[in-house]
Structure formats: C-alpha cells, structure tokens
Amino acid sequence: MYGVTSVVGIEGGYKGFYSRNTVTLTPKSVNDIHKRGGTILGTSRGGHDTAKIVDSLQDRGINQVYIIGGDGTQQGASVIYEEVRRRGLKCAVVGVPKTIDNDIAVIDKSFGFDTAVEEAQRAINAAHVEAESAENGIGVVKLMGRNSGFIAMYATLASRDVDCCLIPESPFYLEGKGGLLEFVEKRLKDSGHMVIVVAEGAGQDLIAQSMNFVDTQDASGNKLLLDVGLWLSQKIKDHFKKKTNFPITLKYIDPTYMIRAVRSNASDNVYCTLLAHSALHGAMAGYSGFTVAPVNGRHAYIPFYRITEKQNKVVITDRMWARVLCSTNQPCFLSHEDVENMKHDDDERHHLHNTQLLDGSPAKCSPNCNGSAGAE
Ligand SMILES: Nc1ncnc2c1ncn2[C@@H]1O[C@H](COP(=O)(O)OP(=O)(O)O)[C@@H](O)[C@H]1O
Ligand SMILES: O=P(O)(O)OC[C@H]1O[C@](O)(COP(=O)(O)O)[C@@H](O)[C@@H]1O
C-alpha cells in the first residue's frame, strides 16, 4: 500500500541496535508468528545507549522505527525520539504497547494482557480443584504484576473461584484483627477450602522487613522481587502449625512464565493487527514521538511524554477494585481514614492532570520530519 521495500528487525532488545546485525523481515517470514509465544526477535533488559542506537538508525538509513514493549521500553523510545529530533533526522519513532502487566498509562490496555488473564484462569482453576479436594485446602497462585495488579484483579473477577486477591497497590497485613491470617481461618471454617491469588509485586515491603532484605535491581533498573507466593505460603503454614486440630493442605502454584509464554489469544491477535495498522498509518502520515493504542475505545496517537509521566496502576478507591472486594468478600485491610486519604490524593492528582491539560502543557505529538501530514 505504501510501497515499502525493506523492513528489518532488531534482535535482542535495545542493545541489538549496536551489537547485532539486522534480520530481514518479509510478509512470508512473519506470516505465522502470531501462532507462537515469545518473540522471534528476542528481548533483553538494560543496554539502552541512546547515542549508539540513534547512530545505528542513522548509519542504516532507517526512516521509521517501531519499538515494541512495556512502560520501560516506551521510556526508552521517548529518549530515542528526543535524540532523533535533536539531530534533525528524518526518522519516525513509534511505540507499540506490549506487556502482560498492563502498566502503561493512558491507554485502554496493552497487547498481551487479555491473553495473560485468560491463561491465568487455568492456574486458578487448578488451584481451586486441588483446594476443594483436600481437607482445609488452600491454593495459592502467584501471577505477574510487578507494580500493577491488573492481571490478578481481572483474573480474580473472571474466575470467581478466588477468595482473596492481593495486589501491589493494596497493602495488607497478616497478623491480628482484620489481618489475612484471621480471614484465611474464617474462610476455611466457613467453606473448607480457599484460593488466594497474589500478584508478584504485592507485599514486598512486608517480606523485605521480615527478611532484612536489601534492594537489588535487574539490568533495566527494576527492583528484584522476592517470591511473595513462597513467603505467603510459608507464613500460612507456620500459622496453622501452631494450631491444634486445624490441619491444612496448601498447594502453591507459580504459573508466571508459563502464562507469559503462551501464544496470544484471538482478542489479542485482532488487537495486534489494529495496533500495527494504526502505528504504520501514523508514521506514514508524518507523525513521530507517539505510542499507538486505543483510548476509551478509539485508536489514538499519544505523545510519549503522556505515556511516560506515570505508570498505570489499579486505583483501589475505584469501582473495579470494589467489585473484587465484593466478589471475594476479603478484608480491604484499610481503615476508613486510609480510604478517605487515598480518595483525597486521587482527586488532587486528577485535578492537577486536568489543569495541565487545560493549560495546554508541553510538546504535542509531532509531525514527522518529512512533514507530509499532521497537526501539532
Ligand atoms: N527511563 C528509561 N530511559 C531509557 N531507557 C529505558 C528506561 N527505562 C527502561 N528503559 C529501556 O527499556 C528496556 C525495557 O525496560 P523494562 O523495564 O526491562 O521492560 P518493559 O518495557 O517491559 O517495562 C530496558 O532494558 C532499557 O533498555
Ligand atoms: O512486560 P512483560 O515482558 O510482558 O512482562 C512483565 C513481567 O516480567 C517481569 O519483569 C519478569 O520478567 P523477567 O523475569 O524476564 O525479568 C515481571 O516482573 C513482570 O510482571
């Protein structure tokens, strides 16, 4: 349609720009990739040398670059775009949102999220079957979600077999009145079994405290997480060990990488096609410096600075989290005062955001240097 003659792939993430040769991508070579999990190009953490990346774009004569990944990747794309602009290069920089965590701000959802939620159902179902079959059976399922608990939240709502959902945004505590252990005991007495879904980033402060853990980071600068599923399982076992006549059977399931590795589902496949079309039309129309994705159901071009200014997180004073609490009947672990304070903070943030929009803040999604189209 646009008469493009050459499309190349960069292998191994950002560092692939300057440490590897490109691979030629043709309609034939990518024809079946939606039927596989993972990535044909490979991925990596770290390795963001902006100057070298833009040198490589320049040397290779690349005039459109499509960068696929999560919120860290979009941050990287944003600084590449700034450098491309600073050098005055004719190269469009486009971000495509792909992460199962759904932690990219502004957009309706990221590619991969639906698939992850769907696959998480299998693990929850297994945990439920195991828990139901044993005396005082407890199934603990860990799901991905480093800072954002969307997978855990949606999987919980979708499955309806979950008795308690723990996410990074909602602090919890174990001991004492209103604590998790009290709830577990009560639920076992009432139903004889239960399923707990925990997002990998939940309760990290609690674990760090109990283990005197010092922060370490991966190559991308992300905090290395401790295994909340193992920790929680042990705490629950320890609690019931102290009780006489209350034997439990706990099964811990960690399906995280199995979930990330599956092929995308039908809804994500369609979504991916729309993202690709939209991204391409945007770059061909002369835009640059944007992430493409639907916002309130409409495909939009969102300037990088809007995408990178914050992370998408579950708002625990919103209705969706209330629906989870309603469906599980779990404690909310917060006092009335905590909730009011959070609401107040959210209102203030919302007000500030709207004021910035009305003020007409920083740069807009800019037209590409070839300037064939696009309004500021
Ligand atoms: N603030 C940043 N500035 C520039 N590059 C970044 C930034 N954050 C992340 N990156 C780059 O994006 C890559 C992917 O980020 P990471 O957080 O690992 O994954 P994700 O894209 O899934 O969030 C990193 O390895 C790094 O090269
Ligand atoms: O953004 P992606 O690649 O879909 O995956 C996000 C998930 O990957 C992780 O960063 C873990 O991945 P790695 O073990 O490969 O570093 C999780 O913390 C996070 O929930």
Side-chain angles (χ1 to χ4, degrees):
M1 177 178 178
Y2 288 111
V4 174
T5 51
S6 163
V7 179
V8 295
I10 304 293
E11 289 187 305
Y14 278 125
K15 60 174 81 113
F17 273 103
Y18 46 84
S19 63
R20 300 232 200 146
N21 289 325
T22 57
V23 288
T24 301
L25 300 177
T26 62
K28 193 163 177 245
S29 73
V30 300
N31 191 38
D32 277 342
I33 60 175
H34 63 291
K35 294 177 188 162
R36 298 184 229 163
T39 152
I40 55 158
L41 291 176
T43 180
S44 69
R45 306 241 178 248
H48 198 280
D49 187 325
T50 311
K52 281 193 190 171
I53 291 170
V54 179
D55 287 348
S56 135
L57 291 174
Q58 221 169 341
D59 295 345
R60 289 177 165 135
I62 291 172
N63 57 13
Q64 292 181 355
V65 56
Y66 297 89
I67 301 176
I68 304 165
D71 70 314
T73 303
Q74 306 302 314
Q75 304 250 11
S78 171
V79 293
I80 291 172
Y81 165 66
E82 292 304 334
E83 181 59 14
V84 162
R85 223 158 75 124
R86 198 186 63 77
R87 296 191 194 182
L89 304 180
K90 293 189 175 189
C91 178
V93 183
V94 182
V96 181
K98 184 262 11 144
T99 167
I100 63 169
D101 279 2
N102 198 35
D103 55 3
I104 301 178
V106 185
I107 68 175
D108 291 351
K109 66 174 179 186
S110 50
F111 169 71
F113 173 65
D114 261 3
T115 304
V117 171
E118 192 171 307
E119 192 62 16
Q121 303 299 294
R122 289 168 180 269
I124 293 174
N125 188 45
H128 186 237
V129 169
E130 287 289 331
E132 226 182 2
S133 314
E135 185 188 4
N136 292 321
I138 304 175
V140 175
V141 180
K142 185 174 78 168
L143 298 176
M144 279 192 178
R146 166 175 287 282
N147 300 309
S148 307
F150 288 101
I151 302 178
M153 177 166 91
Y154 276 81
T156 295
L157 277 171
S159 129
R160 305 201 77 91
D161 279 336
V162 178
D163 296 87
C164 186
C165 172
L166 302 169
I167 57 170
E169 295 88 337
S170 180
F172 65 94
Y173 56 95
L174 296 177
E175 313 277 349
K177 199 166 166 35
L180 181 65
L181 295 170
E182 181 192 75
F183 172 68
V184 172
E185 205 170 316
K186 182 168 183 316
R187 189 52 62 97
L188 289 179
K189 280 178 187 158
D190 291 348
S191 321
H193 68 276
M194 75 178 297
V195 174
I196 301 175
V197 162
V198 58
E200 62 175 342
Q204 290 295 315
D205 292 351
L206 280 182
I207 316 174
Q209 265 170 29
S210 76
M211 292 170 72
N212 273 333
F213 185 76
V214 185
D215 271 4
T216 43
Q217 297 182 332
D218 69 13
S220 291
N222 300 315
K223 189 174 149 182
L224 281 181
L225 300 176
L226 296 159
D227 192 330
V228 62
L230 268 184
W231 174 82
L232 190 62
S233 301
Q234 196 53 51
K235 288 284 175 191
I236 295 173
K237 283 181 188 166
D238 291 347
H239 175 79
F240 285 98
K241 218 179 268 171
K242 286 184 239 147
K243 305 208 163 260
T244 44
N245 295 329
F246 209 139
I248 61 157
T249 308
L250 186 147
K251 297 287 187 302
Y252 171 43
I253 300 180
D254 177 353
T256 48
Y257 291 107
M258 293 179 77
I259 289 173
R260 193 170 64 175
V262 295
R263 59 175 276 182
S264 50
N265 66 9
S267 139
D268 265 329
N269 282 341
V270 174
Y271 181 38
C272 186
T273 302
L274 297 183
L275 285 174
H277 288 182
S278 207
L280 186 69
H281 292 321
M284 289 297 182
Y287 289 102
S288 181
F290 65 88
T291 296
V292 62
V295 180
N296 295 329
R298 294 240 168 209
H299 273 260
Y301 300 139
I302 309 132
F304 282 140
Y305 74 89
R306 277 283 172 231
I307 291 286
T308 55
E309 65 190 356
K310 64 178 173 127
Q311 234 178 4
N312 190 29
K313 296 203 181 198
V314 173
V315 179
I316 60 167
T317 50
D318 258 10
R319 280 194 201 136
M320 211 56 183
W321 184 243
R323 288 179 181 122
V324 171
L325 299 183
C326 208
S327 109
T328 59
N329 262 320
Q330 69 190 71
C332 88
F333 303 108
L334 296 170
S335 66
H336 178 68
E337 200 185 343
D338 290 335
V339 175
E340 285 308 310
N341 286 341
M342 279 181 179
K343 271 191 187 154
H344 181 71
D345 291 349
D346 286 344
D347 286 349
E348 285 210 329
R349 261 199 301 275
H350 196 64
H351 176 71
L352 189 72
H353 181 74
N354 286 346
T355 319
Q356 278 175 349
L357 284 179
L358 290 170
D359 285 352
S361 43
K364 302 272 185 293
C365 189
S366 52
N368 190 5
C369 321
N370 65 25
S372 56
E376 281 273 312

